[in-house]
Amino acid sequence: MEIGIDSFASAMYGSRSLSSVDAMEQLLDRIQLADEVGLHAFGIGEHHKKEFLDSSPAVILAAAAAKTMNIRLTSAVAVLSTNDPVRVYQNFATLDVISKGRAEIVVGRGSAIESYPLFGFDLKDYDALFKEKLALLLQIRDEEFVTWQGKFRPSMHNQPVYPRAVQEKIPVWLGVGGTPESFVRAGTLGLPLMVAVIGGETERFRPLVDLYREAGKKAGFKPEQLKVGLHSPGYVADTNEKAIEEYYPGYAELWTKVGKERGWPPVTKSQFNASVAPKGVLVVGSPEEVAEKLMRHSEALGGVDRFTFQMDNAGLTHQQLMCSIRLIGEKVIPLLK
């Protein structure tokens, strides 16, 4: 199982705000440390909100490429529905050149919707936009000269798209939430799947992952081509008690705030305790407990090829995040091996 981290490039540590310059410098330091201690991937999300600095993930990843040697660099996720697939490919092909072949793309429709009005798209076209643009992105990835026609973008007539990536095919993962159609789509296209699980019990996604594998098999893809990734909130400290003590306050503050925006009730300690329980979604604890939980998650889903922690939006300090990354690389990954 590969292990990585996803970040929204937060400029907030709890109630304390950092300058954009300081927050970005610290983020790049964390990516560099993740590379040094042997993590496999680092992803940058896409948001267009004041508290996040990730509106241009490929730019951040390019800066990280210059400071790293081995770690895979990916979006997490790129909101393809409101992006031009030509520019998405060009940006990540450029990243692939800078990183000498370490770029990946995770694309999705976006759970946050602020980019739709910002770039002039209608939410009623939420799925149609993504379906059309995903098809174009994959065609651009596979063909240097592109002829294409659709509804939401001007046609292309034997037009080349440059630069080309170092990798023959940049990996394109499909980021999904909980709709069966998304899992079937990924399987039918033979794309690796990145499942975002932020609440409840991870094992409830097994029927959807089975749908993905079944659709991929019907489409003629081999089991080894149908990779499954899992993205969940998590944090590692020296002991379980320390991890929970440090993680809970910021987690509760964040998700209570999100809940107000989306009509959810405030976070309670009992809900949190259920989420850090053996079957719960939160991967929070000591290296030993986290490694055990990741193996349980993998077994519950019939195998997980990559797990990515979301940890830098729960009010944790830069130093706490650096310590957690070091523990993941030096203890969690060897335990999983």
Side-chain angles (χ1 to χ4, degrees):
M1 183 191 303
E2 294 180 341
I3 301 296
I5 291 175
D6 290 335
S7 172
F8 295 164
S10 174
M12 296 285 292
Y13 291 143
S15 59
R16 295 175 292 109
S17 178
L18 293 174
S19 72
S20 297
V21 171
D22 288 342
M24 189 63 72
E25 182 178 19
Q26 291 179 3
L27 172 60
L28 293 172
D29 285 345
R30 295 197 292 273
I31 301 175
Q32 185 172 10
L33 177 63
D35 180 57
E36 291 171 356
V37 298
L39 272 68
H40 304 98
F42 206 107
I44 301 294
E46 180 188 340
H47 297 81
H48 303 271
K49 296 181 177 180
K50 183 178 182 180
E51 61 266 36
F52 300 124
L53 299 173
D54 60 346
S55 64
S56 299
V59 176
I60 299 174
L61 293 169
K67 298 167 71 72
T68 57
M69 294 293 294
N70 300 304
I71 198 165
R72 305 288 292 178
L73 300 168
T74 179
S75 56
V77 303
V79 185
L80 186 59
S81 301
T82 57
N83 274 293
D84 182 350
V86 173
R87 292 299 287 158
V88 171
Y89 178 82
Q90 289 176 324
N91 287 339
F92 281 86
T94 303
L95 171 64
D96 206 46
V97 172
I98 295 169
S99 66
K100 300 181 176 65
R102 292 185 282 131
E104 299 186 6
I105 315 173
V106 181
V107 297
R109 294 176 296 182
S111 59
I113 59 174
E114 70 273 2
S115 64
Y116 287 80
L118 181 64
F119 296 113
F121 293 98
D122 195 326
L123 271 172
K124 70 178 178 62
D125 298 321
Y126 185 75
D127 191 63
L129 279 163
F130 182 73
K131 182 178 179 181
E132 178 178 297
K133 292 188 176 189
L134 176 61
L136 177 55
L137 176 64
L138 295 176
Q139 185 175 343
I140 294 169
R141 182 192 66 169
D142 297 345
E143 301 174 7
E144 182 176 346
F145 289 82
V146 179
T147 296
W148 175 90
Q149 186 173 359
K151 177 180 178 182
F152 300 104
R153 190 197 185 282
S155 301
M156 301 178 68
H157 304 283
N158 199 37
Q159 290 176 275
V161 178
Y162 299 121
R164 304 306 297 176
V166 174
Q167 300 174 85
E168 183 178 354
K169 289 188 177 183
I170 292 180
V172 176
W173 296 66
L174 192 58
V176 299
T179 63
E181 294 80 8
S182 296
F183 286 79
V184 171
R185 174 186 290 147
T188 302
L189 294 171
L191 298 178
L193 184 76
M194 181 58 70
V195 187
V197 184
I198 61 174
E201 295 184 348
T202 300
E203 65 181 26
R204 66 191 170 92
F205 280 81
R206 178 59 184 268
L208 294 171
V209 173
D210 287 345
L211 275 178
Y212 162 70
R213 293 186 172 120
E214 182 181 346
K217 182 179 179 180
K218 287 181 178 178
F221 295 100
K222 298 178 181 179
E224 59 268 25
Q225 294 176 280
L226 301 172
K227 294 183 178 181
V228 175
L230 179 62
H231 160 104
S232 292
Y235 178 62
V236 184
D238 292 316
T239 66
N240 288 337
E241 294 76 16
K242 183 179 181 182
I244 290 171
E245 178 185 356
E246 293 178 347
Y247 189 78
Y248 173 69
Y251 173 85
E253 179 183 347
L254 168 71
W255 289 104
T256 296
K257 178 182 177 182
V258 172
K260 288 181 180 179
E261 298 172 354
R262 302 189 183 185
W264 303 339
V267 173
T268 65
K269 190 60 183 294
S270 63
Q271 290 172 332
F272 178 81
N273 289 340
S275 293
V276 296
K279 292 185 177 181
V281 64
L282 296 182
V283 185
V284 176
S286 67
E288 294 77 14
E289 178 62 31
V290 164
E292 289 177 7
K293 192 163 194 176
L294 289 177
M295 292 308 299
R296 284 195 295 269
H297 282 346
S298 183
E299 291 168 4
L301 297 180
V304 169
D305 298 284
R306 177 180 291 179
F307 177 82
T308 56
F309 289 85
Q310 171 60 50
M311 68 170 67
D312 71 352
N313 59 349
L316 297 161
T317 68
H318 174 60
Q319 188 57 41
Q320 287 171 326
L321 294 168
M322 292 283 277
C323 288
S324 188
I325 290 169
R326 188 172 293 280
L327 285 171
I328 292 169
E330 296 181 351
K331 293 191 175 183
V332 175
I333 290 177
L335 285 168
L336 288 171
K337 289 180 179 178

